[in-house]
């Protein structure tokens, strides 16, 4: 009996030490936050408009190359070797032009990427700074985004600070 009490006391002391040393965590839902930030919605709309415009330019060149190829196929029997070669080069140049334009606009470091960075970076930075301020004020060691694929299976609504972030951004819900 005495050993059991001693073991219980040790366990209780260990639990208290763990509790005293426990770190505080919080969750945010970035999708939820961004849906409530009008500036983000405007930036997204701007990106969609630019993307559609650039996509139309690329498609116009691709269509032009296709038309050139069809015309070539209809005329090929009437063309000399030299004329065939010239037409093939023109078609290939048009296809290359379309491909390069697509890469310029939509490539990994293309215009759309740069535009997205210039529009979204200030919004993301503002949200990050608010989350950082709240974390420092409340003593959070870690803030996780429940909207990302981080493997969070459950997060208590009590530790979700998304609405507080929105309030500090000036978008009360």
């Amino acid at each position: 009996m005495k050993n059991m009490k001693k073991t219980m006391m040790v366990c209780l002391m260990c639990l208290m030490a763990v509790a005293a040393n426990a770190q505080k965590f919080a969750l945010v839902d970035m999708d939820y936050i961004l849906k409530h930030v009008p500036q983000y919605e405007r930036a997204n709309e701007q990106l969609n408009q630019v993307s559609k415009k650039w996509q139309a330019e690329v498609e116009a060149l691709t269509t032009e190359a296709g038309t050139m190829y069809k015309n070539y196929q209809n005329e090929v029997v009437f063309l000399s070797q030299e004329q065939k070669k010239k037409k093939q080069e023109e078609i290939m140049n048009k296809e290359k032009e379309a491909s390069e334009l697509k890469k310029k606009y939509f490539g990994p470091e293309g215009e759309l990427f740069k535009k997205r960075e210039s529009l979204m970076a200030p919004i993301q930075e503002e949200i990050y700074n608010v989350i950082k301020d709240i974390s420092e004020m409340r003593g959070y060691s870690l803030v996780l985004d429940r909207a990302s694929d981080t493997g969070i299976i459950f997060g208590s609504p009590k530790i979700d600070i998304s609405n507080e972030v929105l309030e500090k951004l000036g978008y009360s819900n």
Side-chain angles (χ1 to χ4, degrees):
M1 192 74 152
K2 202 171 191 179
N3 264 350
M4 191 172 195
K5 276 187 177 181
K6 193 174 185 179
T7 305
M8 291 289 278
M9 283 299 284
V10 169
C11 285
L12 185 61
M13 286 172 45
C14 285
L15 281 173
M16 287 172 40
V18 168
N21 212 11
Q23 297 179 349
K24 291 175 71 176
F25 303 101
L27 294 175
V28 294
D29 187 334
M30 286 302 291
D31 288 346
Y32 174 79
I33 290 170
L34 292 172
K35 283 179 188 170
H36 289 84
V37 176
Q39 185 181 358
Y40 178 78
E41 292 298 322
R42 286 191 297 274
N44 250 346
E45 184 55 38
Q46 215 175 334
L47 285 172
N48 287 337
Q49 303 243 338
V50 166
S51 179
K52 286 177 186 176
K53 177 184 172 244
W54 290 341
Q55 186 63 38
E57 287 179 36
V58 171
E59 286 174 5
L61 285 176
T62 304
T63 301
E64 191 177 338
T67 302
M68 289 170 71
Y69 181 72
K70 285 178 186 173
N71 291 341
Y72 168 77
Q73 285 182 318
N74 292 335
E75 301 168 348
V76 73
V77 292
F78 305 112
L79 300 174
S80 68
Q81 244 357 75
E82 215 173 276
Q83 290 172 321
K84 286 180 188 177
K85 187 175 178 181
K86 184 181 177 207
K87 293 267 185 191
Q88 289 170 353
E89 285 177 8
E90 288 173 355
I91 293 166
M92 286 175 26
N93 286 339
K94 190 57 72 176
E95 288 172 342
K96 184 178 177 185
E97 187 182 346
S99 177
E100 287 174 355
L101 189 62
K102 184 175 184 177
K103 183 179 176 184
K104 175 187 170 193
Y105 288 149
F106 302 107
E109 296 293 320
E111 297 298 317
L112 188 62
F113 174 81
K114 291 174 187 170
K115 187 82 170 162
R116 179 175 281 117
E117 280 292 305
S118 72
L119 291 173
M120 297 301 183
I123 299 166
Q124 291 169 332
E125 188 173 331
E126 183 180 14
I127 292 169
Y128 169 79
N129 287 333
V130 166
I131 291 171
K132 184 178 171 216
D133 290 346
I134 292 170
S135 296
E136 288 172 353
M137 180 179 70
R138 296 246 181 106
Y140 296 132
S141 301
L142 179 69
V143 177
L144 300 170
D145 179 10
R146 72 170 38 206
S148 68
D149 292 332
T150 57
I152 297 173
I153 295 171
F154 173 77
S156 171
K158 293 176 185 175
I159 63 170
D160 189 327
I161 61 170
S162 301
N163 284 323
E164 186 175 353
V165 171
L166 283 171
E167 279 180 35
K168 284 205 176 253
L169 287 168
Y171 307 108
S172 53
N173 193 18

